[in-house]
Amino acid sequence: MSVLVDSDTRVVVQGITGGEGKFHAEQMMDYGTNVVAGAVPGKGGQEVNGVPVYDTVHEAAREEDADASVVFVPPAFAGDAVFEALDAPLDLVVAITEGIPTQDMAKVNKRLSEVDTRLIGPNCPGIITPGEAKLGILPGNIFESGEVGLVSRSGTLTYQVVDNLTSRGIGQTTAIGIGGDPIIGTDFIDALELFEADPDTKAVVMCGEIGGEDEEEAARYIAENMDTPVAGFIAGRTAPPGKRMGHAGAIVSGSGTGTAESKINALNDAGVPVGDTPNEVADHIEDFL
Amino acid sequence: MRLHEYQAKSVFADAGIPTPDATLASSVEEVVEAAEDIGYPVAVKAQVHVGGRGKAGGIKLAESKAEAEEAAESIIGMDLKGYHVERVLVEEAVDFKNELYVGVTMDRGEGKPVAMVSTKGGVDIESVAEETPEAIAREHIDPAFGMHHYQARKAVYDAGVPRELASDVASVLQTMYQLWDDRDASEVEINPLMVTEDDEIIAADAVMNIDDDALFRQQELAEMEEETFEDDLERKAGEYGFDYVRLSGNVGIIGNGAGLVMTTLDLVDYYGGEPANFLDIGGGAKAERVANALDMVFSDENVDAVVFNIFGGITRGDEVAKGINSALEQFDEIPKPVVVRLAGTNAEEGREILNDELVTVEETLEDAVQRTVEYSEEEAQ
């Protein structure tokens, strides 16, 4: 089984005529993802990789019976593109775009509370159910079908941990990159809920980083609600306070919360072992299985 | 992007928020001239992006020409927490009986803006927030509707602002929210908002930070940007467009993706080394960008060895390898040992391209980091 996506998921690629959209639509299709349409204003009627392009997401959803989209639209227009997908409406929207203005995301966030659509991202690598479908930019070849769920704020760190798992024969149910921005759709707790409810997920890896308090909140959720074992990793132990380390969300205020230490302590208190290295996370997962 | 105090005050003043008379000055003569125009006492305030300017000697009060000269001489040209002070704001010193705090910021936990008011302004508002959070009234704003007037009034009353000031403070708060929304701010703040003996209010300081991702539609503010860097390397990083943070160690670190680069830093520390920097080349980097990254880290004289950690999704291993080769082939002798770890998209192609006479190639992250730490220790001796 899988979480959120499988080989039946019917996907629209928003921005499919752009460089990134075109390249990754092809990669997704090669992986087996059921890409049924593209949506780009003004480009309706064209075909990309044999897939029909529509002017609006509404039209694409109606004509091709789509239920999910992946957004490769440039940041200035990406907020609008997400609104369009929420309004179509689709069940799932994965926003890959990095650099969407925060106030646009605040408005998207408000709209999300009023609809049933799930948003993943933005500024994320996407979601993959190995062997079935990937929606996003994750390198499919490192993943393997199996029993471990994975949720992470960082794309490349996801790849690293997956590599540590796969190389010792531990496969994954689904990996969800939730993104590194201050305002995101699906958060740790949402993803953990999905994995807890999935009978095939026997253990979960949660990769966090400095900044915000999402990991601390997730730790409380795990302690109170989860039977599935979780192992964690927190990036940014050596980050100096007050400096922005790449991700918009990855800044330590210096006020005692949001630090690697407070996150690791919260997770340990919730019974979640935290690896000092990505390899140690795989050790913990091996112990669980 | 952070506006200087004088810039933020001009934005606030244009929006109708009362600010003191003030003039920007960059020499002792200009300070004295401004002070005589405004009338003593004046405050002389360093215009640099540093918190706690007052305590660090960057703000001085002057009651006479002699004091204004003295203040100007001590502040202009001083080094304030790593920043060189070139300009000061000469400002009417307001006589006040109370200091308030008003601000609007993004509550990332809620995903909504939040307006804040406190009667404990003037002092370090962060410690107020930590020690007596109830002393700050908070009102979350629905970004789709904006701030209702009742919300501004409610925050002001909840904070315990005296009734005779409530209407004026509420109107300042609502103006600040409007600025926050119109200008794509991530933070607007007045601390302190001074209350004079006559119950007038006046913004004695002003903070305005703009969301970098929204500068494309905030042209007027983007043009106010004055690049200030702590050192030449950060300036270089700005020119190359890297996410770069300089640190105190001797192991140079280059990678793709914030989470993975932070993890590499943590592993260097774990294996007994000390990171010299955080450098994220970002996603999908081409060869030239990779060469620029190496150039940057080589120009940091504290660096004794460099580790390249690439896990390609959108980034391609062969592009990275080409960049590393082209950067290193310029040298007769490689200045510092370079260890490369390539994984993910086109990693095998990359490893075949890499000139292993110039670099050490390692398969795993752990091996790459340990090898680099060893090199850095050897070089440091």
Side-chain angles (χ1 to χ4, degrees):
Chain A
M1 232 189 74
S2 62
V3 164
L4 294 177
V5 298
D6 59 28
S7 52
D8 294 328
T9 308
R10 297 176 66 81
V11 180
V12 180
V13 177
Q14 294 179 252
I16 198 170
T17 52
E20 296 289 318
K22 187 165 183 234
F23 176 75
H24 288 289
E26 200 177 330
Q27 298 275 310
M28 285 189 268
M29 291 167 81
D30 286 350
Y31 194 73
T33 309
N34 191 13
V35 176
V36 296
V40 182
K43 303 284 170 81
Q46 298 185 7
E47 272 198 1
V48 173
N49 303 332
V51 167
V53 180
Y54 296 90
D55 286 312
T56 67
V57 177
H58 288 82
E59 200 183 354
R62 189 170 64 233
E63 298 297 321
E64 306 294 341
D65 200 21
D67 49 22
S69 85
V70 189
V71 178
F72 287 103
V73 173
F77 313 104
D80 191 58
V82 173
F83 268 104
E84 187 183 4
L86 300 182
D87 196 43
L90 302 177
D91 297 332
L92 174 71
V93 180
V94 180
I96 306 301
T97 311
E98 179 178 359
I100 303 179
T102 307
Q103 299 205 3
D104 294 0
M105 277 312 300
K107 293 183 175 84
V108 166
N109 187 57
K110 155 75 177 172
R111 186 72 180 137
L112 275 174
S113 67
E114 303 162 342
V115 296
D116 290 329
T117 306
R118 174 180 294 281
L119 172 68
I120 295 177
N123 188 16
C124 78
I127 173 170
I128 185 168
T129 292
E132 299 235 1
K134 71 160 178 159
L135 277 65
I137 60 175
L138 314 102
N141 61 324
I142 61 170
F143 292 85
E144 216 169 86
S145 184
E147 300 180 323
V148 176
L150 195 140
V151 53
S152 171
R153 270 166 77 177
S154 154
T156 46
L157 180 55
T158 307
Y159 312 158
Q160 175 64 49
V161 173
V162 165
D163 198 47
N164 288 104
L165 292 173
T166 301
S167 68
R168 52 175 99 182
I170 302 173
Q172 305 90 41
T173 47
T174 295
I176 308 174
I178 57 174
D181 274 7
I183 300 182
I184 53 174
T186 298
D187 61 16
F188 281 125
I189 294 177
D190 299 327
L192 292 169
E193 254 172 12
L194 292 167
F195 288 128
E196 175 70 8
D198 174 33
D200 292 337
T201 299
K202 306 288 189 227
V204 178
V205 177
M206 174 181 145
C207 296
E209 62 189 29
I210 53 166
E213 290 170 26
D214 292 10
E215 290 83 354
E216 287 88 337
E217 284 166 19
R220 281 193 286 278
Y221 173 83
I222 293 166
E224 288 165 17
N225 301 290
M226 283 188 77
D227 292 323
T228 314
V230 181
F233 185 77
I234 300 294
R237 294 164 185 240
T238 48
K243 293 283 188 185
R244 176 174 152 156
M245 306 292 269
H247 274 167
I251 183 165
V252 179
S253 62
S255 64
T257 58
T259 61
E261 195 188 355
S262 76
K263 289 169 194 292
I264 292 167
N265 289 342
L267 287 166
N268 285 337
D269 290 347
V272 176
V274 178
D276 283 332
T277 70
N279 210 20
E280 270 184 36
V281 180
D283 291 341
H284 292 305
I285 291 293
E286 206 157 46
D287 292 342
F288 289 147
L289 297 175
Chain B
M1 171 195 168
R2 180 168 177 178
L3 268 58
H4 283 290
E5 177 192 4
Y6 80 92
Q7 296 171 325
K9 274 188 172 149
S10 87
V11 173
F12 285 16
D14 288 347
I17 296 173
T19 55
D21 274 349
T23 306
L24 196 64
S26 53
S27 68
V28 177
E29 295 73 36
E30 282 176 21
V31 169
V32 171
E33 197 182 322
E36 308 265 303
D37 277 354
I38 292 165
Y40 297 103
V42 294
V44 180
K45 305 161 93 175
Q47 297 299 292
V48 285
H49 295 309
V50 166
R53 283 175 303 171
K55 278 183 197 157
I59 298 179
K60 286 199 158 68
L61 207 63
E63 303 211 8
S64 64
K65 186 178 172 191
E67 285 182 16
E69 277 174 353
E70 201 184 307
E73 275 163 9
S74 75
I75 297 175
I76 296 173
M78 79 182 288
D79 182 82
L80 203 60
K81 298 185 182 175
Y83 289 90
H84 185 73
V85 180
E86 288 169 3
R87 289 164 314 169
V88 292
L89 193 62
V90 185
E91 189 174 82
E92 163 196 10
V94 180
D95 222 7
F96 63 95
K97 61 175 183 186
N98 271 320
E99 295 179 303
L100 308 176
Y101 167 88
V102 283
V104 180
T105 188
M106 182 65 81
D107 180 340
R108 46 179 290 170
E110 294 285 324
K112 284 179 185 166
V114 59
M116 294 171 289
V117 181
S118 177
T119 53
K120 297 226 185 311
V123 288
D124 182 7
I125 196 73
E126 281 80 13
S127 30
V128 175
E130 207 158 309
E131 287 152 25
T132 50
E134 67 284 356
I136 301 175
R138 294 176 177 80
E139 192 70 22
H140 283 96
I141 314 298
D142 183 327
F145 292 116
M147 180 188 267
H148 299 291
H149 193 60
Y150 85 84
Q151 291 185 291
R153 292 196 307 267
K154 181 169 176 290
V156 166
Y157 286 122
D158 283 353
V161 172
R163 184 157 280 120
E164 59 275 17
L165 296 171
S167 170
D168 286 349
V169 177
S171 119
V172 164
L173 184 59
Q174 208 164 7
T175 304
M176 286 172 72
Y177 179 78
Q178 205 54 52
L179 284 174
W180 190 89
D181 192 41
D182 291 345
R183 306 298 179 97
D184 275 299
S186 49
E187 194 173 17
V188 290
E189 197 173 70
I190 299 174
N191 188 32
L193 181 67
M194 284 178 176
V195 183
T196 67
E197 292 296 338
D198 309 331
D199 281 339
E200 303 279 327
I201 54 172
I202 191 159
D205 194 5
V207 170
M208 190 165 192
N209 294 338
I210 309 299
D211 178 1
D212 289 328
D213 289 334
L215 284 177
F216 70 88
R217 63 185 178 203
Q218 299 292 344
Q219 222 42 55
E220 194 192 328
L221 297 175
E223 281 165 17
M224 290 184 180
E225 176 141 41
E226 298 163 1
E227 294 287 354
T228 45
F229 299 100
E230 285 185 51
D231 58 38
D232 287 345
L233 279 171
E234 300 215 342
R235 184 184 308 274
K236 212 169 193 173
E239 282 164 15
Y240 286 147
F242 289 129
D243 277 323
Y244 172 86
V245 179
R246 188 172 187 177
L247 303 165
S248 56
N250 67 336
V251 179
I253 294 161
I254 303 170
N256 66 322
L260 187 63
V261 182
M262 276 192 274
T263 301
T264 315
L265 262 68
D266 296 346
L267 281 187
V268 165
D269 177 68
Y270 179 77
Y271 287 116
E274 276 187 69
N277 66 278
F278 168 101
L279 198 169
D280 179 5
I281 59 170
K286 297 281 186 281
E288 188 192 348
R289 194 167 169 78
V290 173
N292 289 345
L294 257 179
D295 173 50
M296 263 216 69
V297 176
F298 277 163
S299 38
D300 181 348
E301 55 194 27
N302 293 326
V303 169
D304 286 322
V306 182
V307 61
F308 236 103
N309 182 25
I310 301 294
F311 209 122
I314 204 163
T315 305
R316 290 167 39 175
D318 51 339
E319 278 291 331
V320 172
K322 279 181 208 160
I324 294 173
N325 284 350
S326 75
L328 294 181
E329 279 158 6
Q330 300 164 21
F331 296 100
D332 295 330
E333 193 184 343
I334 308 296
K336 291 146 191 182
V338 178
V339 178
V340 181
R341 182 274 180 137
L342 287 179
T345 308
N346 291 4
E348 274 173 42
E349 290 88 333
R351 282 195 294 267
E352 276 166 28
I353 293 172
L354 270 181
N355 184 341
D356 53 17
E357 286 175 14
L358 304 180
V359 298
T360 307
V361 181
E362 292 287 354
E363 287 280 322
T364 70
L365 170 57
E366 281 83 1
D367 289 348
V369 168
Q370 285 184 69
R371 177 59 68 94
T372 315
V373 170
E374 282 164 27
Y375 282 150
S376 74
E377 285 163 358
E378 288 164 17
E379 293 284 320
Q381 279 170 8

